[in-house]
Structure formats: C-alpha cells, structure tokens
Amino acid sequence: MTERIDGHTILIGLMAYPIRHSMSPMMHNNAFAKLGLNYTYLAFDITDDKLKAAVNAIRTLEMRGANISMPNKQKIIPYLDKLSPAAKLCGAVNTVVNDEGVLTGYTTDGTGFMQALADEGLNIQGKKMTLTGAGGAGTAIAIQAALDGTAEISLFNLHDTTWESAKRNVRIINQETNCQATLHGLEDKEDFKREIASSAIYCDSTGVGMKPLENLSLVEDPSWFHQDMIVFDTVYAPRTTKLMKVARQAGVKHVFNGLGMMLEQGAEAFKLWTGKEMPVAYIRDLLFK
C-alpha cells in the first residue's frame, strides 16, 4: 500500500471516538489498491471538542471527504454546507464529500443495512421490526426501512439525551412514509419482550455489545426470540456479540453482526468519493475470512 502513496495521494478520513477498532481503513485502502486509485484512508479519534476543527481540516487539507461515526453523526451537521435529501430527513450524516471546499453530508447507513439483508436473500417489506437506538445509525435504519416498505417499526429508546431524536424519527416515519411507527421506553422490559415476540426482525443499533460494553446485551433471555426471526446487531467488533450468542441459544435462523452493513454502507460512500464501484466481492472475502 505504501507504494501507492506519493505527492498526489488524496486523503479520506474516518472521524469518531473510539475508532481504533474500525475495519473501514482496511476495507477502503484495499479497495483503492485493487482499483489502482491514488487515495488513502486514515482513522482519527475525534471527540466533541475536536469536531469543528476536524471538519475545518477537511477543507484546509483538501481532503476528498470523511466517514463519520459515533458520537458525531448528528453533531457534525452544523459544520457542513449542504445535506443530501436522505441525510436531511434522517438528521444524521455518516459520509462527507468535499467538492472544492463545499462539504456535503450524506447518510449511507440505512441503505447499507437494507442491502446487507438483501445480500442474504432477506426482505422485510410488509413486516414488523423492533429497533433499539435512535442515534445516527438507528435513525438511518429506521427511516430507510420505512421508505423501503417495512410495515411497522417499534422503536425502543432510553429516556436520555437521544429521546427527542427517537420522537422525531417516529414523527417523520408516520408523516412521510406508509410505515406505522411507535415509540417505547426501553426501561419497560415486558413491553420490550412483547414487541420482539411479534416482530420479524430485531435490530440493535446501540453501542451495547462493543467495547467497553462487549459483555452486555439489551436482551439477555433467549426465550424472547423465535426461531424464524432475524436478529441483527450493528456492532461488528467483536465479531460475535453477546446479543448474537443469546439469539443463537434460542435457535434463531438468521443472526448477523454489522459487518455486512459496514461493507455495503462503505461501498456507497466509496462511490460518492471516487465515482467508482467498490470491488465488493473482493472486500467481502477479506472482511469475512
């Protein structure tokens, strides 16, 4: 990879905290190398107090753009010049493109989630989903699933700083799509159990399951799940999360971590930056080996 780097190499960044576990640098740098593109992708630990300066650096260093992850997907919006229609609807950004100093925010998380299911031959059109979390990824997943024909979404969230975001997501889904969304407090475990039991898919879009919470799951009891459903954890480090272990104990047929979603959202971002299709089959082999 170092042989590709010269005075003309174009920089793309990943801005989040924590971020050193991310597989995105491996994914994008191998894709650049495979296609012979003179780009490089680096990860940067960016906390709240560094975010504004980091966004300004995209312009100053003439970076092509960046990926944005927790906790910056919503906080970055005031520092950008434009938003794509989907990012505006979601109120969250995971990809920034720099066009000669004009920074546009996009969201590819939702389409990445839906494509990851499609890659497995699964379709949740006309079905019910229970979803936990209303951060950047959860928001994008909820709205994209609703736009793509999911019939019903039960959104569970803590009464914390993201509760207003959860309320906004439900309102937008009910106003702008044909999906019926309802908001529930995650503190009500009996309600949580009932909604999962009547769902075709349960998706956890929170950070529970990744460091430093890798030994935790919002669902601890395998009896909450039924075998014919889908259980999807957006966490991919560790590869097998506590949630996935609980689902497998229940005999759930379709259990996934976030690697497929990460790959597909990354492929869309790759195209936004380069205008080229990511060699998805090649990168999939590297990620899943």
Side-chain angles (χ1 to χ4, degrees):
M1 185 169 64
T2 55
E3 295 176 359
R4 295 189 299 109
I5 297 176
D6 58 24
H8 300 281
T9 301
I10 298 168
L11 176 62
I12 295 172
L14 170 58
M15 300 178 178
Y17 184 84
I19 202 55
R20 298 304 172 183
H21 67 280
S22 176
M23 298 184 71
S24 290
M26 183 274 282
M27 175 174 68
H28 285 289
N29 285 317
N30 277 282
F32 296 148
K34 181 70 171 176
L35 298 184
L37 300 176
N38 197 358
Y39 290 76
T40 196
Y41 184 109
L42 299 176
F44 301 97
D45 277 314
I46 302 297
T47 50
D48 291 357
D49 59 319
K50 297 178 181 178
L51 183 58
K52 183 177 181 180
V55 174
N56 287 335
I58 297 174
R59 296 187 182 91
T60 302
L61 300 177
E62 298 184 355
M63 297 168 62
R64 178 57 178 144
N67 274 143
I68 310 299
S69 193
M70 296 186 296
N72 300 324
K73 291 183 178 184
Q74 292 156 325
K75 295 173 184 176
I76 195 174
I77 289 176
Y79 307 128
L80 302 177
D81 301 304
K82 297 193 296 183
L83 296 178
S84 71
K88 189 176 294 185
L89 197 62
C90 290
V93 164
N94 79 328
T95 301
V96 175
V97 177
N98 181 10
D99 291 307
E100 298 180 348
V102 177
L103 302 186
T104 302
Y106 297 83
T107 179
T108 67
D109 280 329
T111 51
F113 169 76
M114 296 301 289
Q115 187 58 50
L117 292 176
D119 290 344
E120 300 292 338
L122 299 172
N123 186 341
I124 58 173
Q125 277 188 320
K127 298 178 181 178
K128 177 179 176 179
M129 173 167 67
T130 292
L131 172 68
T132 48
T139 295
I141 288 169
I143 290 178
Q144 193 65 52
L147 289 170
D148 288 355
T150 300
E152 185 178 349
I153 297 175
S154 294
L155 175 57
F156 280 81
N157 204 80
L158 291 173
H159 286 80
D160 61 9
T161 56
T162 61
W163 183 256
E164 288 302 314
S165 176
K167 287 171 63 176
R168 174 188 178 276
N169 294 349
V170 167
R171 183 178 69 253
I172 288 174
I173 289 169
N174 289 333
Q175 290 176 350
E176 304 293 336
T177 78
N178 293 322
C179 178
Q180 178 63 46
T182 54
L183 179 58
H184 307 253
L186 191 53
E187 298 86 353
D188 188 340
K189 298 303 181 184
E190 286 303 313
D191 184 33
F192 190 27
K193 178 181 178 180
R194 282 193 302 271
E195 293 302 305
I196 290 175
S198 62
S199 295
I201 177 171
Y202 168 63
C203 175
D204 185 339
S205 72
T206 72
V208 176
M210 66 183 289
K211 290 183 179 180
L213 306 173
E214 63 267 34
N215 295 319
L216 300 179
S217 170
L218 294 177
V219 179
E220 299 275 356
D221 186 346
S223 71
W224 287 27
F225 295 129
H226 54 90
Q227 293 183 354
D228 293 330
M229 72 186 305
I230 302 164
V231 174
F232 195 110
D233 195 336
T234 59
V235 171
Y236 63 82
R239 294 286 184 97
T240 302
T241 64
K242 178 69 177 295
L243 171 62
M244 294 171 67
K245 292 176 182 177
V246 173
R248 286 172 178 164
Q249 287 173 15
V252 176
K253 295 178 181 177
H254 305 292
V255 181
F256 305 104
N257 62 23
L259 271 179
M261 175 179 166
M262 193 267 288
L263 171 62
E264 293 296 350
Q265 65 80 24
E268 187 171 342
F270 186 91
K271 188 172 183 178
L272 288 170
W273 294 318
T274 69
K276 307 287 186 183
E277 297 286 346
M278 177 183 277
V280 170
Y282 171 73
I283 300 301
R284 182 185 297 278
D285 288 344
L286 294 178
L287 287 177
F288 288 83
K289 68 180 180 181

